[in-house]
Amino acid sequence: MQLAQKTAEEAGELLRRTQKKGFKVELKGAINLVTSADQKAEALVVARLKKNFPEFGILAEEAGKSTGPTNAPAVWVVDPLDGTTNFAHRLPVYAVSIALWEDGKPVLGVVYHPALKELFWAVKGGGAFLNKQKLSVSRTIDPNAALFATGFPYDLRESRENNLDYFSAFATRVRAIRRMGAAALDIAWTAAGRFDGFWELKLFPWDIAAAILLVSEAGGKLSDFEGQPLGLETRNVVASNGRLHNFILQVIEECRQKEASKINREQ
Ligand code: IPD
Ligand code: CA
Ligand code: CA
């Protein structure tokens, strides 16, 4: 945990400096950016983790695949810069995410938000914390009093499954929705009670690996869109304060049924 925290802070400071100094931006897809800062931060994190725990595997976003010994007892899962679009546009809403997974379960998770110097961290069974303060999810039960967060996938223009229908269904049922642009922070902020609920489609292991442990350790609930338990490979993710979980699943199910009947009518 000490290493994960120190490394996340170090990578976060590197991102802050790089954002001031300047960085290169490239396109991974039509609207999917990658910057030289993503790569620099990943190199730093991977070097620190490998040096201290050569026996563990590493799954980091920019490498895109697991590296390390094949029979590794545990794997680090790293998003060196969650919120790249924000970073590239100089919005201070981005984070470093580092988790350790063992036997298909998260054992520790750290999400560091450099702009506010907020370090969110959790160890399995030991609670979730923001710096030194213990975290609990919100107690909101009424959707009309709830603040939700979500995001949109990078294939938004090509795919029908682009979250716009879910977004409009939730928009008229909750107090407000925020699209911050960094899924790891959205989920960490749900653990901290700042958001009451979060849903998003097509996420990757590095987006959720650390933050979902924060939510479960802060007393919240996690599932996929069908209400099944989350794994590292779950792409459609719901995180909530628990009390609003069934409400979120119901709205998602309603949207899916509407979409299915629309497709039937079109055929
Ligand atoms: C993205 C952010 C964004 C979410 C995307 C993610 P990246 O991660 O978390 O909020 O909507 O689905 O891919 O590309 O900035 O690391
Ligand atoms: Ca990400
Ligand atoms: Ca990233």
Side-chain angles (χ1 to χ4, degrees):
M1 174 49 87
Q2 268 174 3
L3 173 74
Q5 290 180 336
K6 221 176 126 231
T7 305
E9 285 173 339
E10 224 184 303
E13 292 322 307
L14 180 142
L15 291 173
R16 266 160 71 98
R17 284 198 309 275
T18 311
Q19 203 185 38
K20 280 196 193 127
K21 273 201 324 222
F23 49 87
K24 273 200 218 124
V25 183
E26 279 168 51
L27 283 169
K28 279 193 203 171
I31 56 167
N32 187 356
L33 306 178
V34 62
T35 73
S36 49
D38 297 67
Q39 278 141 359
K40 272 192 199 164
E42 181 159 313
L44 182 151
V45 173
V46 168
R48 297 283 183 281
L49 299 178
K50 257 196 188 149
K51 183 169 171 238
N52 287 276
F53 291 95
E55 68 278 27
F56 290 174
I58 301 184
L59 172 61
E61 177 175 10
E62 302 314 327
K65 57 176 175 30
S66 294
T67 58
T70 42
N71 56 350
V75 55
W76 294 106
V77 186
V78 177
D79 192 337
L81 167 47
D82 184 51
T84 296
T85 307
N86 288 344
F87 180 88
H89 289 260
R90 297 192 166 74
L91 288 178
V93 185
Y94 59 86
V96 180
S97 173
I98 301 177
L100 185 68
W101 280 60
E102 200 176 5
D103 296 329
K105 298 238 156 35
V107 289
L108 73 82
V110 173
V111 175
Y112 181 57
H113 181 198
L116 295 179
K117 294 201 169 30
E118 287 190 329
L119 184 75
F120 297 89
W121 57 280
V123 182
K124 194 175 173 207
F129 296 83
L130 163 51
N131 299 331
K132 286 183 178 152
Q133 174 204 338
K134 196 164 190 319
L135 294 180
S136 303
V137 292
S138 73
R139 300 178 59 79
T140 312
I141 198 159
D142 177 2
N144 290 306
L147 184 63
F148 277 17
T150 191
F152 296 93
Y154 289 121
D155 66 356
L156 165 85
R157 301 178 181 192
E158 301 90 53
S159 168
R160 254 178 112 129
E161 259 204 289
N162 57 12
N163 201 19
L164 290 170
D165 49 352
Y166 297 122
F167 188 88
S168 64
F170 280 110
T172 52
R173 285 172 162 99
V174 299
R175 178 174 284 166
I177 306 173
R178 297 290 176 256
R179 195 282 195 243
M180 307 304 296
L185 277 181
D186 291 336
I187 304 172
W189 291 354
T190 303
R194 295 174 182 174
F195 290 127
D196 303 293
F198 164 87
W199 84 95
E200 188 164 342
L201 292 156
K202 302 179 184 172
L203 291 171
F204 287 97
W206 38 83
D207 299 316
I208 63 169
I212 59 178
L213 183 63
L214 295 166
V215 170
S216 56
E217 290 295 326
K221 192 166 172 180
L222 299 146
S223 75
D224 67 9
F225 280 15
E226 281 80 39
Q228 297 303 311
L230 286 192
L232 200 50
E233 302 298 330
T234 307
R235 306 219 40 208
N236 298 344
V237 173
V238 177
S240 78
N241 66 358
R243 294 160 178 236
L244 285 161
H245 209 85
N246 284 342
F247 162 77
I248 301 174
L249 294 179
Q250 264 166 26
V251 174
I252 288 173
E253 181 53 29
E254 274 170 37
C255 283
R256 288 195 152 175
Q257 284 177 11
K258 265 196 203 157
E259 176 70 4
S261 43
K262 206 160 121 198
I263 291 173
N264 267 342
R265 279 199 306 276
E266 282 171 9
Q267 277 165 357

